[in-house]
Amino acid sequence: MAKKTKGKQNFVVMENETIDQCLDRMKSEGYIPIRRMEEPIFQEVEKNGKKEVEPCGRKIVFEGRLMNPEG
């Protein structure tokens, strides 16, 4: 829930939240999803004395638009 410009807002699926719960939260705030973005989350792991970067999760963000934009 960061950016907010001209009736658009980003909604991040929280760690303890399902995608459906995030979509319900969007709807309750008056937004409809118009785009889904996923970003991988990486962590450094040391294997055999070398540092390697491995994926450890993902961040899902929905861009929402106001259902009834004014103006």
Side-chain angles (χ1 to χ4, degrees):
M1 296 184 286
K3 300 176 188 172
K4 193 172 189 179
T5 57
K6 289 199 174 189
K8 289 185 182 178
Q9 184 173 340
N10 288 341
F11 292 83
V12 178
V13 177
M14 301 296 174
E15 191 172 315
N16 59 347
E17 181 179 48
T18 66
I19 291 173
D20 285 336
Q21 290 171 330
C22 181
L23 294 173
D24 290 341
R25 182 167 44 97
M26 288 178 71
K27 187 177 182 180
S28 70
E29 292 185 30
Y31 288 85
I32 56 172
I34 58 173
R35 186 166 89 169
R36 174 183 168 155
M37 300 166 278
E38 288 190 37
E39 300 173 7
I41 299 172
F42 297 97
Q43 68 179 2
E44 282 188 4
V45 177
E46 194 166 319
K47 286 187 178 179
N48 300 327
K50 290 185 176 181
K51 286 187 180 178
E52 295 183 11
V53 180
E54 292 185 348
C56 65
R58 64 181 174 185
K59 177 180 170 184
I60 301 173
V61 180
F62 287 97
E63 184 176 320
R65 180 174 42 96
L66 278 175
M67 287 189 218
N68 297 318
E70 298 175 17

